[in-house]
mmCIF file of all heavy atoms in Angstrom:
data_model
loop_
_atom_site.group_PDB
_atom_site.id
_atom_site.type_symbol
_atom_site.label_atom_id
_atom_site.label_comp_id
_atom_site.label_asym_id
_atom_site.label_seq_id
_atom_site.Cartn_x
_atom_site.Cartn_y
_atom_site.Cartn_z
ATOM 1 N N ALA B 706 16.646 -34.481 -28.106
ATOM 2 C CA ALA B 706 16.781 -35.540 -29.015
ATOM 3 C C ALA B 706 18.161 -36.057 -29.328
ATOM 4 O O ALA B 706 18.365 -37.322 -29.560
ATOM 5 C CB ALA B 706 16.018 -35.432 -30.181
ATOM 6 N N ALA B 707 19.117 -35.219 -29.200
ATOM 7 C CA ALA B 707 20.452 -35.475 -29.509
ATOM 8 C C ALA B 707 21.269 -36.146 -28.398
ATOM 9 O O ALA B 707 22.310 -36.697 -28.699
ATOM 10 C CB ALA B 707 21.178 -34.165 -29.870
ATOM 11 N N TYR B 708 20.724 -36.193 -27.272
ATOM 12 C CA TYR B 708 21.472 -36.772 -26.105
ATOM 13 C C TYR B 708 20.933 -38.223 -25.719
ATOM 14 O O TYR B 708 21.365 -38.690 -24.636
ATOM 15 C CB TYR B 708 21.458 -35.747 -24.934
ATOM 16 C CG TYR B 708 22.098 -34.524 -25.151
ATOM 17 C CD1 TYR B 708 21.547 -33.319 -25.476
ATOM 18 C CD2 TYR B 708 23.475 -34.533 -25.137
ATOM 19 C CE1 TYR B 708 22.090 -32.162 -25.664
ATOM 20 C CE2 TYR B 708 24.147 -33.343 -25.402
ATOM 21 C CZ TYR B 708 23.559 -32.240 -25.709
ATOM 22 O OH TYR B 708 24.216 -31.033 -25.910
ATOM 23 N N LEU B 709 20.094 -38.726 -26.450
ATOM 24 C CA LEU B 709 19.585 -40.124 -26.124
ATOM 25 C C LEU B 709 20.617 -41.238 -26.402
ATOM 26 O O LEU B 709 21.325 -41.082 -27.307
ATOM 27 C CB LEU B 709 18.290 -40.319 -26.939
ATOM 28 C CG LEU B 709 17.134 -39.445 -26.501
ATOM 29 C CD1 LEU B 709 15.952 -39.601 -27.447
ATOM 30 C CD2 LEU B 709 16.605 -39.705 -25.103
ATOM 31 N N THR B 710 20.381 -42.376 -25.751
ATOM 32 C CA THR B 710 21.259 -43.525 -26.050
ATOM 33 C C THR B 710 20.812 -44.289 -27.138
ATOM 34 O O THR B 710 21.571 -45.104 -27.688
ATOM 35 C CB THR B 710 21.346 -44.421 -24.794
ATOM 36 O OG1 THR B 710 20.087 -44.723 -24.335
ATOM 37 C CG2 THR B 710 22.139 -43.686 -23.607
ATOM 38 N N PHE B 711 19.544 -44.197 -27.569
ATOM 39 C CA PHE B 711 19.128 -44.948 -28.701
ATOM 40 C C PHE B 711 18.750 -43.798 -29.859
ATOM 41 O O PHE B 711 18.599 -42.664 -29.527
ATOM 42 C CB PHE B 711 17.846 -45.709 -28.422
ATOM 43 C CG PHE B 711 16.839 -44.930 -27.591
ATOM 44 C CD1 PHE B 711 15.855 -44.173 -28.112
ATOM 45 C CD2 PHE B 711 16.871 -45.011 -26.249
ATOM 46 C CE1 PHE B 711 14.906 -43.477 -27.369
ATOM 47 C CE2 PHE B 711 15.984 -44.420 -25.379
ATOM 48 C CZ PHE B 711 14.967 -43.555 -26.056
ATOM 49 N N ASN B 712 18.647 -44.354 -31.055
ATOM 50 C CA ASN B 712 18.631 -43.439 -32.154
ATOM 51 C C ASN B 712 17.075 -43.203 -32.585
ATOM 52 O O ASN B 712 16.375 -44.097 -32.896
ATOM 53 C CB ASN B 712 19.265 -44.109 -33.460
ATOM 54 C CG ASN B 712 19.266 -43.198 -34.577
ATOM 55 O OD1 ASN B 712 19.118 -41.970 -34.438
ATOM 56 N ND2 ASN B 712 19.368 -43.781 -35.752
ATOM 57 N N LEU B 713 16.742 -41.799 -32.372
ATOM 58 C CA LEU B 713 15.306 -41.493 -32.694
ATOM 59 C C LEU B 713 15.321 -40.637 -33.999
ATOM 60 O O LEU B 713 14.305 -40.281 -34.428
ATOM 61 C CB LEU B 713 14.613 -40.703 -31.629
ATOM 62 C CG LEU B 713 14.069 -41.439 -30.465
ATOM 63 C CD1 LEU B 713 13.353 -40.396 -29.494
ATOM 64 C CD2 LEU B 713 13.009 -42.380 -30.935
ATOM 65 N N GLN B 714 16.465 -40.515 -34.497
ATOM 66 C CA GLN B 714 16.483 -39.549 -35.815
ATOM 67 C C GLN B 714 16.397 -40.315 -37.056
ATOM 68 O O GLN B 714 16.713 -41.621 -37.042
ATOM 69 C CB GLN B 714 17.776 -38.712 -35.746
ATOM 70 C CG GLN B 714 17.721 -37.743 -34.587
ATOM 71 C CD GLN B 714 19.127 -37.068 -34.482
ATOM 72 O OE1 GLN B 714 20.140 -37.636 -34.813
ATOM 73 N NE2 GLN B 714 19.239 -35.910 -33.742
ATOM 74 N N LEU B 715 16.006 -39.639 -38.071
ATOM 75 C CA LEU B 715 15.727 -40.406 -39.351
ATOM 76 C C LEU B 715 16.836 -39.850 -40.400
ATOM 77 O O LEU B 715 17.135 -38.685 -40.468
ATOM 78 C CB LEU B 715 14.405 -39.947 -40.003
ATOM 79 C CG LEU B 715 13.191 -40.501 -39.157
ATOM 80 C CD1 LEU B 715 11.876 -39.809 -39.576
ATOM 81 C CD2 LEU B 715 12.972 -41.921 -39.251
ATOM 82 N N SER B 716 17.249 -40.746 -41.126
ATOM 83 C CA SER B 716 18.199 -40.338 -42.260
ATOM 84 C C SER B 716 17.272 -39.864 -43.420
ATOM 85 O O SER B 716 16.090 -40.101 -43.346
ATOM 86 C CB SER B 716 19.061 -41.482 -42.723
ATOM 87 O OG SER B 716 18.157 -42.539 -43.333
ATOM 88 N N ASP B 717 17.843 -39.374 -44.434
ATOM 89 C CA ASP B 717 16.971 -38.826 -45.493
ATOM 90 C C ASP B 717 16.235 -39.912 -46.291
ATOM 91 O O ASP B 717 15.135 -39.728 -46.549
ATOM 92 C CB ASP B 717 17.927 -38.025 -46.505
ATOM 93 C CG ASP B 717 18.304 -36.666 -45.921
ATOM 94 O OD1 ASP B 717 17.563 -36.129 -45.119
ATOM 95 O OD2 ASP B 717 19.404 -36.171 -46.295
ATOM 96 N N THR B 718 16.886 -41.005 -46.563
ATOM 97 C CA THR B 718 16.172 -42.071 -47.269
ATOM 98 C C THR B 718 15.128 -42.704 -46.499
ATOM 99 O O THR B 718 13.920 -42.932 -46.898
ATOM 100 C CB THR B 718 17.155 -43.276 -47.624
ATOM 101 O OG1 THR B 718 17.937 -43.518 -46.467
ATOM 102 C CG2 THR B 718 18.074 -42.888 -48.798
ATOM 103 N N GLU B 719 15.314 -42.809 -45.145
ATOM 104 C CA GLU B 719 14.336 -43.263 -44.271
ATOM 105 C C GLU B 719 13.173 -42.195 -44.245
ATOM 106 O O GLU B 719 12.015 -42.719 -44.156
ATOM 107 C CB GLU B 719 14.815 -43.324 -42.810
ATOM 108 C CG GLU B 719 15.777 -44.561 -42.644
ATOM 109 C CD GLU B 719 16.392 -44.643 -41.339
ATOM 110 O OE1 GLU B 719 16.698 -43.447 -40.770
ATOM 111 O OE2 GLU B 719 16.820 -45.723 -40.812
ATOM 112 N N ARG B 720 13.442 -40.988 -44.196
ATOM 113 C CA ARG B 720 12.326 -40.035 -44.194
ATOM 114 C C ARG B 720 11.517 -40.040 -45.359
ATOM 115 O O ARG B 720 10.334 -39.967 -45.417
ATOM 116 C CB ARG B 720 12.917 -38.528 -43.948
ATOM 117 C CG ARG B 720 11.871 -37.494 -43.561
ATOM 118 C CD ARG B 720 12.496 -36.302 -43.161
ATOM 119 N NE ARG B 720 13.011 -36.313 -41.747
ATOM 120 C CZ ARG B 720 14.127 -35.959 -41.488
ATOM 121 N NH1 ARG B 720 14.913 -35.236 -42.314
ATOM 122 N NH2 ARG B 720 14.597 -36.087 -40.296
ATOM 123 N N GLN B 721 12.192 -40.227 -46.672
ATOM 124 C CA GLN B 721 11.509 -40.321 -47.980
ATOM 125 C C GLN B 721 10.530 -41.637 -47.858
ATOM 126 O O GLN B 721 9.438 -41.534 -48.317
ATOM 127 C CB GLN B 721 12.414 -40.244 -48.920
ATOM 128 C CG GLN B 721 13.020 -38.975 -49.358
ATOM 129 C CD GLN B 721 14.161 -39.125 -50.412
ATOM 130 O OE1 GLN B 721 14.231 -40.276 -51.040
ATOM 131 N NE2 GLN B 721 14.944 -38.062 -50.544
ATOM 132 N N ALA B 722 11.077 -42.679 -47.450
ATOM 133 C CA ALA B 722 10.325 -43.910 -47.465
ATOM 134 C C ALA B 722 9.017 -43.775 -46.544
ATOM 135 O O ALA B 722 8.036 -44.189 -46.805
ATOM 136 C CB ALA B 722 11.192 -45.131 -46.847
ATOM 137 N N ARG B 723 9.370 -43.039 -45.465
ATOM 138 C CA ARG B 723 8.167 -42.853 -44.422
ATOM 139 C C ARG B 723 7.083 -42.021 -45.099
ATOM 140 O O ARG B 723 5.920 -42.264 -44.900
ATOM 141 C CB ARG B 723 8.694 -42.162 -43.113
ATOM 142 C CG ARG B 723 7.557 -42.096 -42.109
ATOM 143 C CD ARG B 723 8.052 -41.327 -40.820
ATOM 144 N NE ARG B 723 8.264 -39.778 -41.130
ATOM 145 C CZ ARG B 723 8.451 -38.967 -40.222
ATOM 146 N NH1 ARG B 723 8.718 -39.335 -39.051
ATOM 147 N NH2 ARG B 723 8.587 -37.723 -40.546
ATOM 148 N N ASP B 724 7.539 -40.993 -45.774
ATOM 149 C CA ASP B 724 6.486 -40.085 -46.510
ATOM 150 C C ASP B 724 5.741 -40.742 -47.552
ATOM 151 O O ASP B 724 4.629 -40.504 -47.924
ATOM 152 C CB ASP B 724 7.238 -38.940 -47.182
ATOM 153 C CG ASP B 724 7.724 -37.981 -46.070
ATOM 154 O OD1 ASP B 724 7.286 -37.970 -45.047
ATOM 155 O OD2 ASP B 724 8.691 -37.108 -46.416
ATOM 156 N N ARG B 725 6.359 -41.872 -48.104
ATOM 157 C CA ARG B 725 5.647 -42.531 -49.215
ATOM 158 C C ARG B 725 4.650 -43.562 -48.768
ATOM 159 O O ARG B 725 3.707 -43.967 -49.450
ATOM 160 C CB ARG B 725 6.665 -43.255 -50.157
ATOM 161 C CG ARG B 725 6.952 -42.612 -51.416
ATOM 162 C CD ARG B 725 7.848 -43.320 -52.313
ATOM 163 N NE ARG B 725 9.152 -42.808 -52.103
ATOM 164 C CZ ARG B 725 10.239 -43.620 -51.878
ATOM 165 N NH1 ARG B 725 10.175 -44.860 -51.736
ATOM 166 N NH2 ARG B 725 11.471 -43.126 -51.662
ATOM 167 N N VAL B 726 4.741 -43.999 -47.443
ATOM 168 C CA VAL B 726 3.694 -44.963 -46.995
ATOM 169 C C VAL B 726 2.333 -44.330 -46.947
ATOM 170 O O VAL B 726 2.140 -43.408 -46.260
ATOM 171 C CB VAL B 726 4.250 -45.514 -45.549
ATOM 172 C CG1 VAL B 726 3.122 -46.364 -44.928
ATOM 173 C CG2 VAL B 726 5.495 -46.236 -45.722
ATOM 174 N N PRO B 727 1.324 -45.048 -47.582
ATOM 175 C CA PRO B 727 -0.046 -44.521 -47.467
ATOM 176 C C PRO B 727 -0.634 -44.652 -46.043
ATOM 177 O O PRO B 727 -0.383 -45.779 -45.381
ATOM 178 C CB PRO B 727 -0.746 -45.244 -48.513
ATOM 179 C CG PRO B 727 -0.055 -46.434 -48.655
ATOM 180 C CD PRO B 727 1.332 -46.238 -48.370
ATOM 181 N N LEU B 728 -1.372 -43.826 -45.637
ATOM 182 C CA LEU B 728 -2.048 -44.013 -44.338
ATOM 183 C C LEU B 728 -3.111 -45.081 -44.386
ATOM 184 O O LEU B 728 -3.708 -45.163 -45.373
ATOM 185 C CB LEU B 728 -2.636 -42.653 -43.966
ATOM 186 C CG LEU B 728 -1.599 -41.527 -43.630
ATOM 187 C CD1 LEU B 728 -2.356 -40.241 -43.398
ATOM 188 C CD2 LEU B 728 -0.716 -41.835 -42.444
ATOM 189 N N PRO B 729 -3.385 -45.813 -43.184
ATOM 190 C CA PRO B 729 -4.219 -46.946 -43.230
ATOM 191 C C PRO B 729 -5.685 -46.710 -43.824
ATOM 192 O O PRO B 729 -6.202 -47.480 -44.508
ATOM 193 C CB PRO B 729 -4.237 -47.344 -41.785
ATOM 194 C CG PRO B 729 -3.359 -46.485 -41.128
ATOM 195 C CD PRO B 729 -2.764 -45.555 -42.032
ATOM 196 N N PHE B 730 -6.254 -45.553 -43.484
ATOM 197 C CA PHE B 730 -7.555 -45.352 -43.909
ATOM 198 C C PHE B 730 -7.696 -44.234 -45.047
ATOM 199 O O PHE B 730 -8.806 -43.680 -45.228
ATOM 200 C CB PHE B 730 -8.444 -44.905 -42.769
ATOM 201 C CG PHE B 730 -8.617 -45.990 -41.687
ATOM 202 C CD1 PHE B 730 -7.845 -45.948 -40.542
ATOM 203 C CD2 PHE B 730 -9.413 -47.020 -41.912
ATOM 204 C CE1 PHE B 730 -7.881 -46.951 -39.613
ATOM 205 C CE2 PHE B 730 -9.466 -48.138 -41.013
ATOM 206 C CZ PHE B 730 -8.699 -48.093 -39.943
ATOM 207 N N HIS B 731 -6.565 -44.148 -45.697
ATOM 208 C CA HIS B 731 -6.628 -43.208 -46.858
ATOM 209 C C HIS B 731 -7.170 -43.958 -48.053
ATOM 210 O O HIS B 731 -6.665 -44.906 -48.459
ATOM 211 C CB HIS B 731 -5.134 -42.832 -47.126
ATOM 212 C CG HIS B 731 -5.004 -41.412 -47.736
ATOM 213 N ND1 HIS B 731 -4.902 -40.349 -46.945
ATOM 214 C CD2 HIS B 731 -5.040 -40.984 -48.928
ATOM 215 C CE1 HIS B 731 -4.858 -39.237 -47.730
ATOM 216 N NE2 HIS B 731 -4.911 -39.709 -49.044
ATOM 217 N N PHE B 732 -8.280 -43.459 -48.587
ATOM 218 C CA PHE B 732 -9.023 -44.187 -49.663
ATOM 219 C C PHE B 732 -8.425 -43.771 -50.958
ATOM 220 O O PHE B 732 -8.844 -42.819 -51.544
ATOM 221 C CB PHE B 732 -10.470 -43.939 -49.615
ATOM 222 C CG PHE B 732 -11.227 -44.882 -50.411
ATOM 223 C CD1 PHE B 732 -11.319 -46.341 -49.995
ATOM 224 C CD2 PHE B 732 -11.898 -44.519 -51.558
ATOM 225 C CE1 PHE B 732 -11.981 -47.164 -50.835
ATOM 226 C CE2 PHE B 732 -12.696 -45.340 -52.253
ATOM 227 C CZ PHE B 732 -12.818 -46.735 -52.048
ATOM 228 N N SER B 733 -7.379 -44.473 -51.580
ATOM 229 C CA SER B 733 -6.723 -44.041 -52.860
ATOM 230 C C SER B 733 -7.389 -44.995 -53.954
ATOM 231 O O SER B 733 -8.002 -46.014 -53.623
ATOM 232 C CB SER B 733 -5.290 -44.136 -52.797
ATOM 233 O OG SER B 733 -4.978 -45.562 -52.573
#
Side-chain angles (χ1 to χ4, degrees):
Chain B
Y708 292 102
L709 293 168
T710 51
F711 46 89
N712 184 24
L713 274 184
Q714 287 168 341
L715 295 169
S716 69
D717 283 333
T718 44
E719 287 170 331
R720 195 168 286 135
Q721 283 170 15
R723 187 186 72 174
D724 288 337
R725 254 183 266 127
V726 169
L728 292 173
F730 295 100
H731 210 90
F732 195 68
S733 60

